Amino acid sequence: MSGYRELFDASISDPTTFWADAARAVTWTREPKQILDDSNPPFYRWFPDGELNTCANALDRHVEGGRGDQAALIYDSPVTGSQATFTYRELLDQTARFAGALRGLGVGKGDRVVIYMPMIPEAVIAMLACARLGAVHSVVFGGFAASELAARIDDARPAAIVTASCGIEPTRTVDYKPMIDAALDIAKYAPPACVIVQRDQRPCEPISGRDLDWNDVMADAEPVDPVPVAATDPLYVLYTSGTTGRPKGIVRDNGGHAVSLLWSMRHIYDTEPGDVYWAASDVGWVVGHSYIVYGPLMLGATSMLYEGKPVGTPDAGAYWRVAAEHGVKAMFTAPTAIRAIKKEDPEGTHLGKHDLSKLQYLFQAGERLDPGTYHWASERLGIPVIDHWWQTETGWPVAANPMGVEHLEIKPGSPTVPMPGYDVRILRPDGSQADPGEEGAICVKLPLPPGTLPTLWGDDDRYVESYLSAYPGYYLTGDGGYIDDDGYLYVMGRTDDVINVAGHRMSTGSIEAVLAAHPAVAECAVIGVADEVKGQVPRGLVVLKSGASDEGLADELIAAVRENIGAVAVFKAVDVVPALPKTRSGKILRKTMRGIADGRDEPVPSTIEDPAVLETLKPILKG
């Protein structure tokens, strides 16, 4: 196998040859002769004359190839005290039958299906069943507010909805049915059918004529064969969450998606058929799409489906118990999950209770992996802790340390280097390329590689306006950062997290890195707040590790920022808080906090995990 540099250079200098070679891992019903259609920039299309079925690549080919009795999906649910394992043959049988049930409801190729589900096997089956039919699924995170769900229903105009009676949290049950009903009351468009998985913990009352029981439709369903679709046909639409306005529907096509995910499973995650792979995320997020459902199953690995939390189900050892019990080789979590574990169990005592000898990697993405969290996890696990960076829009990693190619040097604070196909550039506001070490806008030179978004659902103009207009010929990631002399990328946060202090531009991420390095700090956030003299000044919010004292802490943190960044940062305000407000995917709501601190009536995002946390912080932020 070539090394990283050879692979990367080949992907940039001759992308068609590189991706034609990668496409051989896919089972096509019609192999593509043309690899890249670049006739209509900035709308590039990969494998335009190819034809395949994504579900057949995830299930049928493994059964036909002799892996039918291997575990495909392991469901582990500490919140319900239940576990289940589905072999590839069993998962194929369930999926083919549910595809038949959807077909019986009139769902066909190109139709949309909204899936609003908790982390249960039926969610995976419903996604794969849509792919089997050539239908387009749009998964909405279970528990999303009715207004947000309605907006997605109106944009996607689904032929059916698949849901469950409830979701289960460590301390409460979330009723889904009232939110579905409210969303359909608000929505202008009403799908004719709603299939409901009735959960024992909280069954719901169906509406006659619209609501159907999952078990009933499955009992009458005839299994269906996979429907071939064009490589450029959409597999799914996944909406990015916004506080206001119309959500953006990120489109994922079938062909590029299959090629890129298969390449990434082997080359980035060093996973092979039969290995147990666990992305501790949710099917409502892009990580769940790429690395709970499609990536591991198309490869022929065993994928974990976990219905629980990193802490509280029942304790801070939950992740280690799951990894040990099921023999996980590669684990993927958000840094916020590791910080939650570190806060509850700073010494890592729970780790010693479990045999983690099969765990070879911990991958981190979703938020910047601060060096303190990296060192904590790395020292206690004794395995590579791999930061990597990507977006809902890209569908797979932009920058990573390619463990299946070679183990590059780890630099804490960096997601390492751009992956093949991603020609990453740091651009100044005038479009010129930044020098090594100079911060700017992180952009990717077009064309983007396979598997990335070809457009937004039903809105080419908005796609161009949102991502391609700031720097013609480049995709704007919306993140700022720099590339060092060794070619390592550093992502310092969203470009709106760059603050301007008396004319000096600096990223809040650089200040957060200093705060997070303090031994008493479990996690932190820095926001820029308006200042009459300086324009903006940074303000810190820190959460303490369990048992840590805040005595003298503020002075120590202010001194540390002054020492590491300088007086230019004007860092003089830091508060100890019980928790930070986050989305359900673990992203800290910096923009919302910044608005409150500046006295604006900031709308609360529908994606917020616990609104009470934000309410607690409001007096502090306004003070």
Side-chain angles (χ1 to χ4, degrees), residues 20 59 106 126 165 200 211 238 243 266 299 307 359 361 365 423 440 470 475-476 498 524 534 563 569 581 584:
L59 299 176
S165 57
D200 295 340
D211 296 342
L238 183 58
T243 53
R266 280 199 155 100
L299 180 70
E307 189 182 24
L359 186 65
Y361 305 106
D423 189 354
Y475 165 80
L476 178 70
V498 173
C524 62
K534 304 287 186 183
E563 182 183 338
R584 292 187 183 96

Side-chain angles (χ1 to χ4, degrees), residues 170 278 280 306 308-320 333-334 336-341 344 609:
W278 179 23
Y306 175 70
K309 301 287 184 184
V311 297
T313 54
D315 52 37
Y319 276 11
W320 318 132
T333 77
T336 192
I338 301 302
R339 286 194 288 265
I341 294 168
E344 293 286 315
E609 183 175 43

Side-chain angles (χ1 to χ4, degrees), residues 53 102 107-113 126-138 159 227 229 234-237 254 294:
N53 182 275
L102 289 174
V107 177
K109 183 176 177 178
D111 289 335
R112 277 78 61 208
V113 176
M127 292 168 73
L128 290 166
C130 291
R132 192 170 192 81
L133 290 173
V136 181
H137 63 67
S138 183
V227 176
V229 299
L235 170 67
Y236 68 76
V237 178
N254 277 269
Y294 290 111

